[in-house]
Amino acid sequence: MKVIVGNNDYISGLIAEEFVKMVNQKPNCVLGLATGTSPLGVYANMIKAYKDGRVSFKDVKTFNLDEYIGLEGTHNQSYRYFMNTNLFDHIDIDKNNTHVLKGVGDYLGYANKYDELIKEAGGIDLQILGIGSDGHIAFNEPGTPFDSLTHVAELAESTIKDNSRLFNDISEVPTKAVTMGLKSIMNAKKIVLIATGKNKAKAIFNLLKGPMTEEVPCSILQKHPDCTIYVDEDAYSLVK
Ligand code: F6R
């Protein structure tokens, strides 16, 4: 794994350029996208590149990592809403080509065919990941099998606590989600992970220096052939 250290603006800019490069090289590429605070700067830079006329997303397909069970796509904490408001509404992507797991209705039926849909689209060319303070990627919490495909997951207590900052009250945070599995993520051809802040330092240490174990879901990335970790000084502080 390659590691790049810099402040949030710098690493967000670098990752956005990876996306711009990918889309310009392969206009009908498949992008794997994440939600949460970590990729916000990346998406802002991608929007700017589009507005500056440096890239067009009109033939791009996207697959998001996860969605809360119980939230409609119109709920302001759903990941569909997040993607629309933080990226899709501001670029020329065809929303029919954007895939986000469903959190209501036949969410299980859709989850069960998600890996097949990704495969039919040609597989993910470039996947962005954030990381949980407990080492989760997508909503694969500690103990998730390394060979997991898209499935229903229980959120860890620490994840519910971390994510409660975005809800009015912790009791409103969904306790379950649908998520791409660790094997689904490892199938991506290229992966970039972004982490900033002291609360990610232990997870980044375990990712870069710890053993590969299902107790630390992100540790599976150690065996991905093309994975780059972008961190700020705080997230990198235990490794140095
Ligand atoms: C979101 C996702 C999660 C987040 C992680 C970090 O789609 O897959 O794994 O990346 O919980 O969240 P933030 O970036 O909000 O710290």
Side-chain angles (χ1 to χ4, degrees):
M1 279 180 300
K2 216 167 115 186
V3 181
I4 295 181
V5 188
N7 68 29
N8 190 34
D9 284 351
Y10 176 71
I11 57 179
S12 296
L14 288 183
I15 296 174
E17 285 311 308
E18 289 292 330
F19 276 95
V20 170
K21 194 166 85 187
M22 172 61 72
V23 176
N24 282 330
Q25 268 167 11
K26 187 176 175 188
N28 63 346
C29 65
V30 180
L31 303 179
L33 301 178
T35 56
T37 307
S38 306
L40 283 173
V42 176
Y43 298 155
N45 278 288
M46 284 164 67
I47 293 167
K48 184 167 186 312
Y50 163 69
K51 293 202 164 147
D52 289 347
R54 295 178 50 228
V55 65
S56 166
F57 295 89
K58 73 180 178 44
D59 296 321
V60 166
K61 295 191 187 79
T62 66
F63 287 87
N64 261 79
L65 288 168
D66 41 20
E67 180 60 285
Y68 287 121
I69 291 178
L71 300 192
E72 295 274 357
T74 48
H75 188 288
N76 68 5
Q77 289 307 327
S78 77
Y79 288 169
R80 162 54 75 182
Y81 183 91
F82 176 102
M83 289 312 302
N84 286 348
T85 52
N86 289 297
L87 183 62
F88 301 150
D89 287 346
H90 310 286
I91 57 175
D92 63 343
I93 200 159
D94 177 352
K95 286 239 181 84
N96 294 317
N97 288 337
T98 67
H99 305 85
V100 182
L101 283 154
K102 294 187 202 312
V104 293
D106 186 20
Y107 62 83
L108 210 52
Y110 190 55
N112 286 338
K113 62 180 188 197
Y114 207 63
D115 289 279
E116 202 46 45
L117 286 176
I118 295 172
K119 207 165 143 196
E120 279 167 17
I124 291 174
D125 292 295
L126 177 57
Q127 171 73 57
I128 184 168
L129 298 174
I131 189 170
S133 59
D134 63 354
H136 73 228
I137 48 176
F139 275 131
N140 295 287
E141 297 287 15
T144 307
F146 278 164
D147 64 357
S148 52
L149 292 172
T150 302
H151 63 282
V152 170
E154 299 268 347
L155 272 54
E157 278 301 317
S158 60
T159 303
I160 293 172
K161 205 164 146 250
D162 286 348
N163 291 3
S164 66
R165 72 188 191 281
L166 303 165
F167 290 79
N168 294 324
D169 187 84
I170 193 161
S171 63
E172 290 177 15
V173 185
T175 56
K176 284 185 177 185
V178 262
T179 179
M180 278 168 61
L182 293 167
K183 188 168 177 202
S184 324
I185 293 169
M186 287 296 281
N187 283 338
K189 292 164 204 158
K190 183 180 175 76
I191 297 178
V192 293
L193 182 147
I194 177 165
T196 59
K198 275 257 187 293
N199 67 327
K200 302 290 172 73
K202 188 161 167 259
I204 291 298
F205 177 83
N206 286 334
L207 165 62
L208 296 173
K209 300 287 179 199
M212 202 189 301
T213 159
E214 290 182 349
E215 285 316 303
V216 181
C218 60
S219 66
I220 195 174
L221 297 174
Q222 291 171 9
K223 68 170 187 199
H224 193 280
D226 188 355
C227 177
T228 306
I229 311 300
Y230 294 78
V231 281
D232 71 354
E233 293 285 350
D234 283 342
Y236 198 54
S237 54
L238 294 178
V239 178
K240 279 203 294 184

